[in-house]
Amino acid sequence: MEDLDPSRLAAAVLAGERRALARAITLIESSRPDHREKAEALLDALLPEAGRSVRLGISGAPGVGKSTFIEAFGRHIIEAGHRVAVLAVDPSSRRSGGSILGDKTRMEALARDAGAFIRPSPAGRTLGGVARRTREAMLACEAAGFDVVLVETVGVGQSETTVADMVDLFLLLLQPAGGDELQGIKRGIVELADLVLVNKADGALEDQARRTAADYGAALHLLRPAAPGWTVRVQICSAQTGAGIPEAWDAVGAFREILGAGLEERRARQAVAWMWNEVAEGALEALRRDDALRALAGRLEGEVAAGRAAPAAAARRLLARFLARS
């Protein structure tokens, strides 16, 4: 990886150099121990200039049109005078660990816009629909001058709640549906949504989209809102025609205005949660690097699989050995 000096790389990112930002995120996403040290030094240098963006998480089932929506939404935001970074997380194969990373091809027009930066990343082993280093990549984008950061998750089907713990507003995209299809989105993710948009509200589907929005609007009144003082909005839009896109951006502004100082409190809680998540991930990494612990884990896995040990008891044995060796 070229030019890994954290101070020089930080200076280039702060100057708005796009290639430097791409290199910075590659460094941040690296799992090599020496790269992690440099990534932390880089983030220390960038942190004072981060935190000034609008952070939006966008989720929805496969086929709902997330990429098409983000392209239309991003271009509208740029026309409004902003710079947009898109952190698009692609699902990783459980077998090979590989990922297609095709978001740049799906957002071709937005990718060519000088006011946009698109970075696809593999989800890897991380649950929650986002990559483990998405939070840090977001800070780098903010430091580079992108004042709106969109985090596209892998799509409903994995645990999609982690993104809500790293953004200001969590936007859930739905498609026109009726009957049993309305149950296709888990209640848990709906409870976390701050804004719900029914996409594909055009042509023959427009009336169905309005009915879906009305159904969800009625249902959401029975749930406690994710953000105090804010009533979750359910709106319709069409990423193809652009209808409803300006109204969606207006809803984001209304949400931030109502939250006011509560937005900083939300970010503070998210930062603390992020710290403890890193503690847990770091402990697992340390365990996997220890040959003796890895061997013990293998033996315990065999005992658990054979029914000779309870999973909780095996976990306690492994944890006790880990703490003793630490």
Side-chain angles (χ1 to χ4, degrees):
M1 197 184 301
E2 57 179 320
D3 194 5
L4 289 183
D5 179 79
S7 59
R8 286 202 299 268
L9 192 52
V13 170
L14 293 171
E17 295 182 18
R18 301 167 72 89
R19 288 186 61 194
L21 176 57
R23 291 199 304 271
I25 295 177
T26 299
L27 176 62
I28 286 168
E29 291 179 341
S30 175
S31 60
R32 281 177 45 176
D34 59 326
H35 285 177
R36 285 308 308 156
E37 290 180 11
K38 291 180 178 180
E40 288 170 8
L42 171 67
L43 288 165
D44 285 343
L46 297 179
L47 197 57
E49 301 302 322
R52 298 170 189 166
S53 77
V54 179
R55 301 172 178 174
L56 305 179
I58 300 175
S59 189
V64 75
K66 287 194 301 294
S67 296
T68 307
F69 169 78
I70 290 173
E71 181 164 58
F73 193 50
R75 295 183 75 183
H76 172 77
I77 295 170
I78 291 170
E79 288 172 3
H82 300 277
R83 300 181 70 217
V84 177
V86 179
L87 300 176
V89 184
D90 275 9
S92 296
S93 167
R94 288 182 177 271
R95 293 183 178 178
S96 67
S99 185
I100 297 174
L101 304 178
D103 287 276
K104 278 196 172 183
T105 60
R106 293 196 296 266
M107 306 177 197
E108 188 176 353
L110 185 61
R112 292 197 304 265
D113 198 304
F117 174 82
I118 300 177
R119 173 70 181 212
S121 299
R125 300 185 181 193
T126 307
L127 295 179
V130 292
R132 179 181 173 188
R133 299 299 173 192
T134 298
R135 294 176 178 89
E136 296 175 354
M138 184 162 51
L139 296 179
C141 290
E142 291 175 339
F146 292 93
D147 59 344
V148 179
V149 180
L150 308 179
V151 180
E152 179 195 2
T153 73
V154 297
V156 175
Q158 294 189 37
S159 172
E160 287 288 295
T161 57
T162 305
V163 68
D165 290 329
M166 67 173 70
V167 295
D168 303 332
L169 180 145
F170 182 38
L171 189 161
L172 178 61
L173 274 181
L174 303 176
Q175 53 190 336
D180 291 339
E181 292 175 3
L182 282 176
Q183 309 306 319
I185 304 293
K186 299 293 185 183
R187 171 174 168 162
I189 194 172
V190 174
E191 288 178 319
L192 291 172
D194 301 301
L195 175 62
V196 177
L197 296 180
V198 182
N199 191 23
K200 303 184 180 181
D202 50 64
L205 290 176
E206 184 173 352
D207 288 342
Q208 195 172 17
R210 292 186 186 279
R211 288 195 297 271
T212 300
D215 289 342
Y216 268 92
L220 284 168
H221 280 298
L222 303 176
L223 302 178
R224 173 189 250 171
W230 170 256
T231 301
V232 178
R233 297 187 184 183
V234 183
Q235 301 175 189
I236 64 171
C237 69
S238 169
Q240 290 288 352
T241 68
I245 297 297
E247 289 79 4
W249 179 239
D250 290 343
V252 173
F255 174 84
R256 288 173 58 83
E257 185 175 347
I258 286 176
L259 253 65
L263 195 56
E264 292 305 315
E265 295 174 6
R266 172 182 275 209
R267 287 190 175 188
R269 291 193 301 270
Q270 290 172 345
V272 172
W274 177 3
M275 181 195 78
W276 283 108
N277 182 71
E278 283 299 310
V279 170
E281 292 284 352
L284 278 174
E285 284 182 356
L287 188 153
R288 293 188 183 109
R289 286 197 300 266
D290 188 301
D291 292 339
L293 288 172
R294 209 164 51 243
L296 174 60
R299 291 196 298 274
L300 290 173
E301 285 178 354
E303 292 180 18
V304 168
R308 294 192 300 272
R316 281 196 297 273
R317 284 175 59 189
L318 184 59
L319 184 59
R321 181 71 65 86
F322 173 69
L323 293 174
R325 289 177 69 83
S326 298

